[in-house]
Amino acid sequence: MKLRRSMLFVPGDNAAMLSTSFVYKPDSVMFDLEDAVSLREKDSARLMVYQALQHPAYADIETVVRINELNTEYGLKDLEAAVRGGVDIVRLPKTETAQEIHELETHIARIEKACGRPVGDTKLMAAIESAIGVVNAVSIATASPRMVAIAIAGFDYLVDMHTRRSTGWEPELFYARAAVLHAARAAHIDAFDVVYGNVTDDEGFLREVQIAKQLGFNGKSLIHPKQIDLLHKAYAPTEAEVSHAKRVLAAAEEAHRKGLGVVSLDGKMVDPPVIHEAEMALQLAEAV
Amino acid sequence: MNATADFYTVQPKDAPPEMEEVRKLLAANDLELDDQIEVFVVCRQKGHIVACAGLDHYTIKCVAVAEDARGESLSLALGSEVVSLAAERGQYHLFLYSAPHNLPFFRGWGFYPLVEVPQRVVLMENSPVAIEKYCESLRVQRRPGKTIGGIVLNANPFTLGHRYLVAQAARACDWLHVFVVKEDASSFSYADRFALVAAGVKGIDNLTLYPGSDYIISRATFPGYFLKDKGLIESSWAAVDLLLFRDYIAPALGITRRYVGSEPFDPVTKSYNAQMKDWLQQAPSGQPPITVVEIPRASIGGVPISATEVRRLLAERDFGRIAALVPATTLQFLESLLPVNNTIQ
Amino acid sequence: MKVIKEAIAGTVESSDLLVKVAPSGKGTRDIVIRSEVMKQFGKQIKKVVTDTLDKLSVSDGSIVIEDKGALDCVIRARVQAAVLRGCGSQELDWGRLS
């Protein structure tokens, strides 16, 4: 199962970052052609990302490209570059309706056919950045079999909501987080929490990671490589959790060996979701 | 995404609040604000302007980075921003003047030194080969002969005095190469001045006329903002311009003599001419010395002909007196500047 | 493709390169490269640049490169961007950009 804890944002026109980001081993790397790139450099950044996608160093890391919205003069060209370059996931910014996902799909299928890539190979993720996006989260998350993740983008969303970031439990993000999470779980896809912009405040970052983790987010969008390790460590299960997970899986294996239909541990029944959770816990533990 | 450093442009003529901060930053780096700058790139970090670079047409000026922000990546980002800005404005061939000890900083920006006045200033351009390509284009124009002359004219406008200088030089040389200074800070535009020179030297057969070159530095282009002393600015400008002539232009064309009219009026030009002898004849250089020949100005009724005087007479609409000082082609042009009823606009 | 106007792409920042293209004015193609790692990688840089230009069928133009230690993929991208800007071209022929 693909771990998606850390999605590292890399500005598409930054040669140094494009050349080194793979070193930090994030679970996914997201090449940004949208907000991180000035209008003047859109064309150049597109080519940089197109070339970087094909670099052997990125062969083993899941790649994501954040294209510009399709209703801009850049969006479709970005899409061509991303799909033809072999990107794993296309990230659509400011997603508000399922219709946008359908439109995106149609274009991607066309490009896949044109460049000989298996149709359906390119996956999708949606970024929710507005109130409309939040209320449409379920239909967006279930809009296509290509959808693998949904993210909440805090900055634009809060502007739309006429409020701003606070500390503590961040009530201003609560509903959006919950909505996006539920949509993700209903659609059986991954959910990403907001970017934490203050790269000098590790404590604040970790506080927010705890919120995200407790809510059930698979991971978080990151803007600095040092956040990767901090995040991975925070997501790692405790020793107690790990040994419990091992016991659950051992029980499941034994039940399977004995041909029993039901798995039990310490006198209690163990449902499939619990077994799945145990598998995830071990995977997380091993990935730190 | 949040950027820790923010680059954006400001236009001094809009008098934005940034200019006060820019002034302070420059002062902290021992620089004055050059008032010819059209646009600045500034970098804001944690609420303060920590770096700036100005652009005046194709010359980069007033580059400063706050001491506590000095790190290679910021300086290179600044350089990239200003070069991109210049490109947006259609300027691809860029120059900058720097204190010699900052040469390595600007090498990092992709700038290469052209000439250096020790301890004062180094002129750099953003190409390793542009000067060589320019010299190549000049070499194609070489003419055979032992005595090859060179003249650099501003001609604001072209007078009989200029004509006299050119004619005398042409008579004494196997061939004469004449350059017109390209710069629109004069009263008359470069295009007009060049046209008048071309018309005025017709009939002199052993002459090649060249359009202005980026490598002939007019006084207006030369930035004085980092050399506080006025005398130092004048002498540094002269040195840079003359070194370019000696090290590049003259060798490419095989020029052995530089002709100049004596300058009785303007102190800046007078000083420049005096330095000509230093830099072209005496200063150590990889290139052979060039003889400076100063020709006494042509006079009318004992008064040396001067373009300044022509401009003054133009303001008074005294075409009668102007006619004695300029060739017919220049007179025609000057008359055409004023409408039929001869009122000044 | 023909370079019809001056254009630049890239930056002088570390790991990047600044590519300047201009019409050559003489129907030739000339490439000038300066790099902090000229000795070790000069040849390789030249090869990548030449291949990229060949694929775009650029036979006429002046290309000047200031390299700051860029990877091949970055060199390709910046050369392509500069050429496309210099040709005033909006359309991308993906077959020529690999």
Side-chain angles (χ1 to χ4, degrees), chain B:
Chain B
M1 285 299 108
N2 293 328
T4 44
D6 219 355
F7 285 96
Y8 61 102
T9 60
V10 298
Q11 311 234 345
K13 74 175 187 331
D14 294 338
E18 278 86 354
M19 288 316 297
E20 213 15 72
E21 278 191 82
V22 167
R23 229 178 275 267
K24 285 209 186 89
L25 178 62
L26 291 173
N29 282 268
D30 219 26
L31 301 171
E32 274 168 29
L33 178 61
D34 183 297
D35 60 11
Q36 304 278 45
I37 291 173
E38 305 170 288
V39 60
F40 263 100
V41 169
V42 300
C43 175
R44 192 174 284 284
Q45 223 176 46
K46 292 189 199 140
H48 299 293
I49 290 188
V50 296
C52 67
L55 191 63
D56 169 15
H57 294 90
Y58 52 77
T59 308
I60 294 175
K61 300 176 167 180
C62 288
V63 178
V65 180
E67 209 171 318
D68 54 3
R70 271 175 214 166
E72 211 189 73
S73 77
L74 183 68
S75 115
L76 295 178
L78 180 68
S80 303
E81 284 293 323
V82 76
V83 166
S84 291
L85 174 67
E88 251 175 62
R89 298 165 76 89
Q91 302 288 0
Y92 292 91
H93 188 197
L94 302 173
F95 292 83
L96 65 82
Y97 298 83
S98 162
H101 65 262
N102 285 328
L103 197 155
F105 179 95
F106 293 112
R107 278 288 293 109
W109 287 20
F111 279 73
Y112 294 82
L114 286 169
V115 293
E116 180 172 335
V117 182
Q119 265 106 59
R120 301 252 180 279
V121 60
V122 59
L123 170 63
M124 305 179 79
E125 68 173 351
N126 68 335
S127 164
V129 294
I131 182 67
E132 177 50 37
K133 282 196 173 146
Y134 176 70
C135 290
E136 223 176 87
S137 72
L138 289 181
R139 261 179 241 126
V140 167
Q141 304 270 40
R142 286 178 82 107
R143 297 288 176 150
K146 255 183 61 184
T147 314
I148 307 292
I151 294 182
V152 177
L153 285 181
N154 195 2
N156 188 30
F158 186 83
T159 66
L160 287 174
H162 295 112
R163 165 95 195 184
Y164 175 74
L165 172 65
V166 173
Q168 291 293 100
R171 197 168 299 143
C173 295
D174 294 312
W175 199 268
L176 182 66
H177 299 280
V178 179
F179 293 83
V180 179
V181 177
K182 179 182 77 170
E183 162 227 291
D184 276 326
S186 311
S187 319
F188 299 98
S189 73
Y190 164 72
D192 289 336
R193 286 185 292 110
F194 185 85
L196 291 180
V197 174
V201 302
K202 265 206 183 82
I204 300 178
D205 292 324
N206 61 334
L207 175 153
T208 310
L209 183 62
Y210 297 87
S213 150
D214 289 345
Y215 299 103
I216 292 178
I217 316 289
S218 72
R219 175 63 189 87
T221 315
F222 188 80
Y225 62 92
F226 62 86
L227 296 165
K228 296 264 172 74
D229 182 279
K230 198 161 193 302
L232 228 46
I233 298 173
E234 301 305 335
S235 63
S236 299
W237 159 60
V240 167
D241 184 51
L242 292 165
L243 279 172
L244 281 171
F245 188 83
R246 176 159 181 192
D247 290 349
Y248 297 106
I249 296 174
L253 289 169
I255 289 174
T256 58
R257 287 189 190 174
R258 174 132 167 199
Y259 284 84
V260 66
S262 64
E263 176 52 63
F265 301 117
D266 178 47
V268 170
T269 311
K270 215 172 177 174
S271 147
Y272 179 92
N273 289 356
Q275 290 180 84
M276 209 182 278
K277 296 191 175 114
D278 274 338
W279 291 105
L280 296 186
Q281 288 177 173
Q282 276 143 23
S285 161
Q287 302 298 337
I290 298 160
T291 314
V292 177
V293 179
E294 197 167 351
I295 294 192
R297 264 190 199 240
S299 344
I300 296 272
V303 181
I305 300 175
S306 124
T308 311
E309 179 64 6
V310 170
R311 296 195 303 273
R312 193 188 69 75
L313 291 170
L314 180 66
E316 297 180 355
R317 292 119 66 209
D318 193 344
F319 290 101
R321 306 250 293 275
I322 291 176
L325 302 177
V326 302
T329 41
T330 300
L331 183 65
Q332 255 162 41
F333 168 75
L334 294 176
E335 282 174 336
S336 75
L337 290 178
L338 300 177
V340 176
N341 59 353
N342 270 350
T343 49
I344 296 173
Q345 294 295 359

Side-chain angles (χ1 to χ4, degrees), chain B residues 72-73 76-77 79-80 83-84 87 90 92-93 107-110 112 126-129 133 136, chain C residues 6-8 10-14 18 20-21 26 30 32-35 62-66 68:
Chain B
E72 211 189 73
S73 77
L76 295 178
S80 303
V83 166
S84 291
Y92 292 91
H93 188 197
R107 278 288 293 109
W109 287 20
Y112 294 82
N126 68 335
S127 164
V129 294
K133 282 196 173 146
E136 223 176 87
Chain C
E6 284 186 279
I8 61 167
T11 73
V12 293
E13 295 179 61
S14 199
L18 185 65
K20 283 192 286 179
V21 303
K26 10 182 199 159
D30 61 280
V32 170
I33 298 170
R34 291 291 183 271
S35 169
S62 151
I63 295 98
V64 178
I65 286 172
E66 185 78 29
K68 295 302 200 91

Side-chain angles (χ1 to χ4, degrees), chain C residues 33-75:
Chain C
I33 298 170
R34 291 291 183 271
S35 169
E36 13 183 75
V37 286
M38 203 64 191
K39 276 206 202 88
Q40 308 93 303
F41 295 110
K43 251 202 196 131
Q44 173 63 10
I45 299 171
K46 177 98 188 260
K47 181 171 189 313
V48 173
V49 173
T50 313
D51 283 349
T52 308
L53 293 172
D54 286 343
K55 282 214 180 88
L56 290 168
S57 307
V58 176
S59 53
D60 182 343
S62 151
I63 295 98
V64 178
I65 286 172
E66 185 78 29
D67 170 66
K68 295 302 200 91
L71 294 181
D72 289 359
C73 60
V74 174
I75 297 175

